[in-house]
Amino acid sequence: MNSPVLFTERLILRRPAAEDLDGWAAFSADPVATEHLGGPVERSVAWRQLCTMAGAWEINGFAMFSVIERATGKWVGRLGPWMPEGWPGTEVGWGVAAEFAGRGYAYEGAIAAMDYAVDVLGWSEVIHTIAPENTRSIRLAQRLGSTNLRPVKLPAPYADVKVDAWGQSAEQWRTGRAAR
């Protein structure tokens, strides 16, 4: 299956691949990076997560991208469109490894992923499911022009996690993008 490859000034966003496992597993084992993503997991579970994301590309035709730093080729994180069965909407989500946090990579990659979701996938709304205490993601959502739309319920095994859908319509995204 052909998969898009997106380029930003500092990043490459591409379909997850086997060579991403070391970075993905390190990210997935980090309690800080995964605090709002279900918590740290062992390498074997991280492998299954990577395969789940790759499989979603095959089944849905989209999923989160692996984010690669252009200058070094290092795996930065995963972000992009996500809508598994039972999800409360069409989401662009993000997660960046701790060593890359604070560099604006999540914002830079999320812009490219939002453009892709709206312009290529044709989504009419893009949400970000964020726990109320996740202030870093809330700030990123706000920077993207999103607002707190409504509380939502995630499917199992996250059904008891309190999250809100931050987001905006495709029209709001296009208008905000034109103003940048």
Side-chain angles (χ1 to χ4, degrees), residues 4-20:
V5 177
L6 309 180
F7 296 91
T8 69
E9 181 180 338
R10 301 177 296 162
L11 305 171
I12 300 168
L13 283 67
R14 59 149 174 80
R15 186 177 179 163
E19 64 263 22
D20 300 336

Side-chain angles (χ1 to χ4, degrees), residues 2 10 23 39 57 148 167:
N2 272 344
R10 301 177 296 162
W57 272 102
N148 190 338

Side-chain angles (χ1 to χ4, degrees), residues 108-128:
E108 186 176 326
I111 289 172
M114 294 279 288
D115 284 345
Y116 180 78
V118 168
D119 297 339
V120 177
L121 298 178
W123 289 0
S124 60
E125 179 182 66
V126 176
I127 66 166
H128 324 288

Side-chain angles (χ1 to χ4, degrees), residues 31-172:
V32 174
T34 62
E35 177 182 5
H36 300 288
L37 301 173
V41 297
E42 295 177 18
R43 184 180 177 89
S44 62
V45 176
W47 180 83
R48 291 191 291 278
Q49 292 172 343
L50 174 65
C51 290
T52 295
M53 204 60 70
W57 272 102
E58 195 64 35
I59 292 170
N60 292 335
F62 66 87
M64 289 193 185
F65 297 96
S66 275
V67 180
I68 309 301
E69 188 177 46
R70 289 177 77 163
T72 65
K74 289 184 178 180
W75 189 89
V76 170
R78 86 297 180 271
L79 62 76
W82 186 235
M83 197 180 81
E85 178 64 28
W87 213 248
T90 46
E91 177 167 23
V92 166
W94 48 78
V96 173
E99 89 175 86
F100 298 102
R103 297 187 194 180
Y105 285 168
Y107 177 68
E108 186 176 326
I111 289 172
M114 294 279 288
D115 284 345
Y116 180 78
V118 168
D119 297 339
V120 177
L121 298 178
W123 289 0
S124 60
E125 179 182 66
V126 176
I127 66 166
H128 324 288
T129 55
I130 304 173
E133 65 276 8
N134 187 349
T135 56
R136 289 186 73 164
S137 280
I138 289 170
R139 282 194 306 271
L140 177 53
Q142 290 171 326
R143 192 170 172 205
L144 291 167
S146 294
T147 59
N148 190 338
L149 302 175
R150 59 192 171 270
V152 293
K153 189 167 181 79
L154 299 177
Y158 306 107
D160 294 333
V161 177
K162 183 178 177 184
V163 295
D164 294 317
W166 287 74
Q168 58 192 293
S169 70
E171 187 57 38
Q172 289 169 318

